[in-house]
Amino acid sequence: MNAMLHRLKSIAITIAVVFLLAGCQYAPGLEVNPWVVQSLPTESTFADVAFTDDLSRGWLVGNKGTLFETRDQGQTWTARSLDLEGESVTFDSVSFYGNEGWIVGEPAILLHTLDGGEHWQRVPLSDKLPGSPRTIVATAPHSAEMTTSVGAIYRTSNDAQNWKGLVEEALGIFRNISRSPDGSYVAVSSRGNFYSVWDNQSQTWQPFNRHSARRLQNMGFTPDGNLWALGRGGLLQFGDAQDPEAWDDPQYPEFSTSWGLLDLTYQTPNEVWAVGGSANLLYSNDGGETWLKDRQVEKVPSNFNRVKFIQPDLGFVLGQRGTLLRYDPSQEMT
């Protein structure tokens, strides 16, 4: 009797595992890997990358005051140092408009250049600034928009001599914040429980509860101005920016039981890349309906935290411990 019960239990477990695996989707592999893995001489985690208008010169920033420069579209990088009088800083964001560039980070640091980075000048910030600078976007000559770690949004049009606050109240500590080309923002709360949206017609952030049982990891905008969202366990959803509570059915491009996907970006309106923990790198050539996995980078010893394309043939995946992937347009995609 005991043997029979043991056998029935084993069969039940096997059936449960089969049904579990049947509900999980593993993305087919890419036939060609279009990414070149680079290892830069630092233990830092990279946060952002941006280029000047000639697209040969770019800057890469990260924690521990990490700053790298390239003059050959990212094929090689050189570490640069700034005289910050011994202050320990984290660089979170970099942006250029022509040769005019900005870098922000914490605790409360803002750098500005007018000559492509030959000279960086530190710009004083008010002691009353709510939170620390988190993102910066160069929008026009002498103009930029800056967010802080509690969701304040500021705009300058005179080289940061003056800033205009765009929201009446700060949002609170958030995990991620993204800006659309039209100047709208979406932010994910620090715990991933809710998200908030803001546009130029609003005075305050508009909060919404998360649309899934899974906590949110990151959110951003599609090329047509709609929303995408990443949740724990590899969840991906697309939504309507005009109705921030309307979302398509969830999908799981690659089954994962870990932290899953961390960032997503569009190479073209139809070509999409998503990155995540444990060197996860996924690609879609149909706007996110189906996905392929780049299995040739799976053994890279790093989480992939961000993916960013400056233009369709100039893109980077940012990782940990000096790990950087550069898109190689000479490889044919399938």
Side-chain angles (χ1 to χ4, degrees):
M1 178 65 71
N2 289 336
M4 179 65 70
L5 290 175
H6 179 74
R7 182 180 180 187
L8 290 174
K9 184 177 179 180
S10 298
I11 293 174
I13 293 175
T14 301
I15 293 174
V17 170
V18 169
F19 275 101
L20 176 63
L21 293 177
C24 303
Q25 293 183 347
Y26 290 84
L30 271 175
E31 293 186 8
V32 175
N33 169 35
W35 297 91
V36 176
V37 180
Q38 299 174 300
S39 182
L40 276 58
T42 178
E43 289 296 309
S44 297
T45 296
F46 297 127
D48 198 9
V49 61
F51 279 71
T52 62
D53 58 351
D54 65 8
L55 297 180
S56 62
R57 190 176 193 184
W59 293 85
L60 180 66
V61 300
N63 64 349
K64 303 178 183 178
T66 299
L67 189 64
F68 281 84
E69 179 188 13
T70 181
R71 291 177 179 265
D72 55 13
Q73 292 195 331
Q75 296 184 56
T76 60
W77 295 86
T78 303
R80 300 300 187 199
S81 61
L82 301 174
D83 183 9
L84 300 176
E85 300 180 349
E87 183 178 1
S88 178
V89 302
T90 290
F91 293 138
D92 292 314
S93 180
V94 56
S95 182
F96 275 87
Y97 188 96
N99 280 326
E100 182 178 5
W102 306 81
I103 294 175
V104 297
E106 48 192 329
I109 187 168
L110 172 63
L111 304 175
H112 186 215
T113 181
L114 294 171
D115 54 14
E118 288 292 334
H119 304 89
W120 290 96
Q121 179 182 6
R122 186 163 186 173
V123 180
L125 291 169
S126 171
D127 293 337
K128 298 180 180 180
L129 183 74
S132 299
R134 179 62 62 84
T135 68
I136 190 85
V137 176
T139 55
H142 314 293
S143 303
E145 279 186 12
M146 177 178 68
T147 69
T148 75
S149 56
V150 294
I153 305 174
Y154 293 94
R155 180 180 295 159
T156 183
S157 57
N158 58 4
D159 292 325
Q161 296 180 46
N162 302 101
W163 293 91
K164 177 183 178 181
L166 303 182
V167 295
E168 293 181 349
E169 297 180 0
L171 175 63
I173 299 175
F174 59 84
R175 179 191 302 271
N176 304 98
I177 187 167
S178 300
R179 183 183 187 273
S180 72
D182 69 2
S184 300
Y185 284 88
V186 60
V188 176
S189 68
S190 59
R191 294 179 178 270
N193 291 326
F194 68 92
Y195 59 100
S196 302
V197 297
W198 179 87
D199 60 45
N200 284 307
Q201 308 303 317
S202 304
Q203 298 294 318
T204 60
W205 287 92
Q206 186 178 7
F208 298 92
N209 290 324
R210 70 177 190 262
H211 44 275
S212 166
R214 297 180 182 269
R215 293 180 186 270
L216 292 167
Q217 289 283 85
N218 199 357
M219 293 181 66
F221 294 91
T222 64
D224 59 4
N226 286 311
L227 295 168
W228 57 259
L230 300 176
R232 294 278 181 90
L235 177 145
L236 168 63
Q237 281 184 278
F238 294 99
D240 185 350
Q242 301 302 315
D243 182 2
E245 292 184 291
W247 292 90
D248 295 342
D249 292 337
Q251 57 174 296
Y252 296 85
E254 171 73 7
F255 174 65
S256 173
T257 57
S258 63
W259 286 79
L261 301 176
L262 300 175
D263 193 27
L264 180 149
T265 197
Y266 284 76
Q267 181 181 4
T268 68
N270 290 322
E271 296 176 283
V272 193
W273 292 90
V275 298
S278 302
N280 273 316
L281 180 56
L282 300 166
Y283 169 75
S284 172
N285 60 8
D286 54 14
E289 293 186 15
T290 61
W291 292 86
L292 301 171
K293 184 170 185 178
D294 190 336
R295 301 192 181 279
Q296 297 183 50
V297 300
E298 282 184 311
K299 294 184 179 180
V300 175
S302 174
N303 292 327
F304 295 157
N305 302 309
R306 188 168 187 193
V307 54
K308 184 174 182 179
F309 276 85
I310 311 302
Q311 61 178 26
D313 62 352
L314 184 61
F316 299 90
V317 172
L318 281 56
Q320 302 168 303
R321 298 183 296 277
T323 299
L324 181 72
L325 274 61
R326 174 177 56 84
Y327 184 78
D328 182 358
S330 67
Q331 298 293 329
E332 293 184 0
M333 295 292 295
T334 60

